[in-house]
Amino acid sequence: MYKRQDDNGGKAPTPEKWVKQIVFRAEWDESWTTTITYDSENRVKKIDGLRNDSYEFTYNGNSLTVKGSDRTYTCKLNSDGYVTEVTENDFDKDETYYYRMEYKNGYLQRVEQRYSYNESRIRVSECTWRDGNLVEYTAKDYNEDDTEIETAKISYSKTATPINIDLLYFSGYVPVDVYPLDLLGFCGRQSAKLPNKADIIYSGESESESDDFGVYTLNDDGTVARIDCGSVSYELIY
């Protein structure tokens, strides 16, 4: 992400508040360490070891290209450094996806996904923000025979020092799935507080499913040091 002034008068995280490593551990003896490298302008340059894959980031004005082992993202950036258009080439599936993002004051409002720029929609997500927090998103999946709707209502706990990693990513409940761009903060401003629970309602069902996100451990400066999610944990190193 670009280093920028925040819209509410605060400042974007300094390099000391930018995550340099993510350590994942699971009870079933799976683990990996992700290392994030930044360039001289504090933009993500490379990410190694993210679920055993690596991605390289190349900037050219308001354009960004992200290359992984099995996919490439070609992106357009706005003045805040957020992606507004993304073309994803998935080599394993031999498919191309197109995403278009809309923002208001830096907050993600709407995401539209298609198989390509001119083809029909696959998925549309719309977001609701309150007091600087993403409190709800509705995702509509357009299938051949019907439309499936997923609504996620997200609740929060305490406020933490802002970092450049979107913590909502670790819950799996995100309105846009352009991995790893969503993790690294390229999809808009993050919620002001720590997400701790999601209530999910699927179309055709009357009752919601609840999912707790885990327990946060903070450093002395208020940044998140660790997230314990039952059988798995994430440690953040700055």
Side-chain angles (χ1 to χ4, degrees), residues 71-117:
R71 71 195 61 216
T72 296
Y73 295 103
T74 304
C75 315
K76 289 185 178 180
L77 304 173
N78 63 15
S79 58
D80 291 325
Y82 302 141
V83 292
T84 57
E85 295 182 43
V86 178
T87 300
E88 175 188 359
N89 292 305
D90 189 321
F91 306 131
D92 284 347
K93 297 180 180 179
D94 193 25
E95 292 178 338
T96 299
Y97 301 98
Y98 171 80
Y99 305 83
R100 183 177 181 86
M101 291 79 162
E102 298 176 9
Y103 302 89
K104 182 178 180 181
N105 297 326
Y107 294 108
L108 182 66
Q109 303 293 310
R110 189 174 188 272
V111 184
E112 186 173 288
Q113 180 186 2
R114 300 175 181 267
Y115 276 117
S116 65
Y117 183 84

Side-chain angles (χ1 to χ4, degrees), residues 76-204:
K76 289 185 178 180
L77 304 173
N78 63 15
S79 58
D80 291 325
Y82 302 141
V83 292
T84 57
E85 295 182 43
V86 178
T87 300
E88 175 188 359
N89 292 305
D90 189 321
F91 306 131
D92 284 347
K93 297 180 180 179
D94 193 25
E95 292 178 338
T96 299
Y97 301 98
Y98 171 80
Y99 305 83
R100 183 177 181 86
M101 291 79 162
E102 298 176 9
Y103 302 89
K104 182 178 180 181
N105 297 326
Y107 294 108
L108 182 66
Q109 303 293 310
R110 189 174 188 272
V111 184
E112 186 173 288
Q113 180 186 2
R114 300 175 181 267
Y115 276 117
S116 65
Y117 183 84
N118 293 318
E119 294 194 23
S120 59
R121 295 175 295 182
I122 304 173
R123 182 181 177 95
V124 174
S125 299
E126 295 185 338
C127 305
T128 300
W129 294 80
R130 186 177 302 122
D131 298 327
N133 298 294
L134 176 63
V135 295
E136 181 177 314
Y137 73 81
T138 299
K140 296 181 179 179
D141 291 306
Y142 295 90
N143 303 315
E144 291 183 1
D145 300 326
D146 59 5
T147 300
E148 296 182 1
I149 302 175
E150 170 191 312
T151 300
K153 296 184 178 181
I154 303 166
S155 57
Y156 295 84
S157 57
K158 54 191 173 183
T159 302
T161 299
I163 59 178
N164 65 310
I165 294 296
D166 193 342
L167 297 172
L168 195 59
Y169 166 86
F170 296 113
S171 73
Y173 298 105
V174 290
V176 55
D177 184 12
V178 281
Y179 176 84
L181 296 171
D182 45 2
L183 167 67
L184 297 170
F186 283 95
C187 297
R189 297 177 65 186
Q190 295 137 43
S191 294
K193 294 186 176 182
L194 298 175
N196 66 352
K197 181 182 177 182
D199 292 304
I200 314 298
I201 301 176
Y202 299 98
S203 55

